[in-house]
Amino acid sequence: MQIVFLNSFERPVEDGTIVTGKLSICERDGIWAVLWSEGDAEAVSWFEGTSWEEMLIGFRHGVAVKMGEGYTPVVDGMLEEKRGGAGSFLSMLQCYGELHAKQELFEALREWRRKKAVSEKRSAYLVATNRMLWMISAFVPYTTEELLQIPGWGEQKHAAYGQELLEVTVQHGRETDFPLKWVTERLEPAAYTQWMYKQKEARYKNDMIRQQQKKRILSFVFEGGSMEQLQSELELPRREIMDRIEQLETEGYDFEPLIARELADMPDTERELIWETFRQAGDRYLKPVLQQVYGEDSLKEKQMDVLYERLRLVRLHYRKSAKQQAM
């Protein structure tokens, strides 16, 4: 097996000694392997397979895990940002918020968000993300000007929720003040570095999950599976599965067999009307197409998701046909 990459890592421990690790990428007959070893222990495989893309994701995820554990690579720069760099002010605010969130205020904000989401019949994260609530509970803004300094809390969100949220925060004390420039000096470099690599670890883990889901989607489609089977296999909402399928289609994957199976019961007249509406109104926005094809009066709430999915499937076929005609 040929070694195409090799790097060493070091991690100091409490007794003053240094734990060493070695990371290598190897290749033999088109098979890639990512191997990690510590001291004299037998190497552990992080990845083995033929996909270069999957290999890189596994490599980066493993590196992020080890650097989050305190390992320092002899040759740095594998995960884009330099270790110990200045970082961005935004990421420092996010880090400080997560590490110093006041639990009592955070729970009060979560309860406010829950009630607001229920009353508006929308997902809680659309009202405010956990990260945003962590920062608010760490910095405790009392005024509009202070609240608008929280990253992600813009004018639109403030107009909708600002006054209600400030009524919660003013009931809690704080030890710091605004503006928040002091965070760059008060945030411990070691804690910030570890936090940064934990973010990378989570990101690369999500990349690994998405890559696995991609393989399962393509495998199911190739084997004649249906959208219902995909939903059961992946345990994802059908809308998200359609998002993935549309993305994969732009990457060049063929979903015509799936489209044909899913739309087998669609009358030719309905398909032709959708096709003609795309020609006249364009295919970017589906709501006007939905209204023109099916009519607002005939639409029922329980049918909306089904009809939107059918339109998205027809649109995939329509766009592919348009590309072929343009060539």
Side-chain angles (χ1 to χ4, degrees):
M1 183 170 285
Q2 181 180 3
I3 297 177
V4 297
F5 174 86
L6 179 65
N7 202 352
S8 297
F9 289 69
E10 296 180 345
R11 178 172 66 88
V13 293
E14 293 181 357
D15 63 3
T17 59
I18 301 293
V19 177
T20 61
K22 290 186 178 180
L23 176 62
S24 59
I25 298 177
C26 307
E27 186 272 338
R28 181 172 61 192
D29 299 329
I31 304 296
W32 295 98
V34 180
L35 304 175
W36 168 266
S37 61
E38 295 181 15
D40 298 326
E42 185 177 349
V44 176
S45 176
W46 287 354
F47 172 84
E48 185 172 344
T50 59
S51 171
W52 169 264
E53 182 181 11
E54 290 181 49
M55 183 275 290
L56 283 181
I57 293 173
F59 167 81
R60 289 168 176 161
H61 175 258
V63 170
V65 171
K66 291 303 176 183
M67 295 181 79
E69 293 174 356
Y71 280 92
T72 302
V74 174
V75 179
D76 206 348
M78 291 179 293
L79 299 181
E80 299 151 10
E81 294 91 353
K82 295 287 187 179
R83 182 180 175 87
S88 71
F89 184 55
L90 170 61
S91 66
M92 289 183 174
L93 292 179
Q94 293 172 340
C95 174
Y96 190 93
E98 291 187 31
L99 297 180
H100 298 84
K102 297 175 178 61
Q103 192 61 34
E104 184 180 351
L105 176 53
F106 177 69
E107 293 300 332
L109 291 170
R110 284 185 63 191
E111 179 62 16
W112 164 80
R113 180 182 64 178
R114 184 192 66 80
K115 293 179 179 179
K116 182 58 62 175
V118 169
S119 68
E120 296 184 351
K121 297 181 180 180
R122 61 191 319 210
S123 298
Y125 76 90
L126 294 176
V127 177
T129 63
N130 278 342
R131 175 166 286 175
M132 191 175 294
L133 297 188
W134 283 328
M135 287 188 287
I136 293 172
S137 65
F139 300 122
V140 198
Y142 290 157
T143 67
T144 294
E145 292 73 18
E146 292 176 348
L147 183 54
L148 289 173
Q149 293 181 45
I150 302 297
W153 191 272
E155 294 286 353
Q156 185 174 0
K157 193 174 289 291
H158 188 73
Y161 309 118
Q163 190 56 45
E164 291 183 32
L165 188 141
L166 289 173
E167 290 175 1
V168 178
T169 60
V170 295
Q171 300 178 41
H172 296 261
R174 69 185 188 192
E175 296 78 41
T176 58
D177 209 344
F178 288 78
L180 303 174
K181 294 297 184 181
W182 52 265
V183 170
T184 58
E185 296 181 357
R186 190 172 301 186
L187 186 61
E188 296 180 6
Y192 176 56
T193 298
Q194 186 176 29
W195 178 86
M196 288 284 288
Y197 285 111
K198 286 297 180 183
Q199 308 311 301
K200 292 176 184 294
E201 177 185 342
R203 189 179 81 202
Y204 293 130
K205 183 177 181 179
N206 286 335
D207 288 345
M208 292 172 65
I209 293 173
R210 288 183 67 88
Q211 187 68 20
Q212 293 166 359
Q213 290 173 339
K214 170 183 174 179
K215 292 176 65 176
R216 290 158 73 184
I217 289 173
L218 295 175
S219 176
F220 259 74
V221 171
F222 178 77
E223 294 171 0
S226 65
M227 286 290 292
E228 185 175 352
Q229 290 173 318
L230 273 174
Q231 183 181 18
S232 176
E233 171 70 13
L234 298 177
E235 297 182 348
L236 291 174
R238 288 175 71 111
R239 182 178 297 182
E240 186 171 345
I241 294 174
M242 274 303 308
D243 291 342
R244 303 285 181 86
I245 288 174
E246 288 181 336
Q247 177 59 42
L248 290 171
E249 196 275 338
T250 64
E251 297 174 12
Y253 294 97
D254 183 17
F255 288 94
E256 287 296 311
L258 174 68
I259 295 171
R261 290 193 296 271
E262 293 297 316
L263 300 181
D265 62 344
M266 175 179 282
D268 290 341
T269 53
E270 181 181 349
R271 189 191 303 265
E272 291 169 2
L273 179 57
I274 295 172
W275 203 275
E276 183 59 29
T277 306
F278 280 146
R279 288 198 188 99
Q280 296 177 0
D283 62 12
R284 183 176 181 182
Y285 301 108
L286 290 179
K287 186 173 182 178
V289 178
L290 183 79
Q291 294 172 341
Q292 186 167 336
V293 171
Y294 298 104
E296 291 190 44
D297 294 338
S298 64
L299 294 178
K300 297 180 180 179
E301 186 174 346
K302 64 180 181 180
Q303 298 175 327
M304 293 290 283
D305 289 343
V306 174
L307 294 178
Y308 268 116
E309 183 178 295
R310 289 164 74 88
L311 289 179
R312 294 176 78 175
L313 288 167
V314 175
R315 183 170 65 179
L316 284 174
H317 183 58
Y318 174 82
R319 287 176 172 176
K320 183 173 184 178
S321 177
K323 288 181 182 178
Q324 291 174 342
Q325 292 178 9
M327 294 177 63

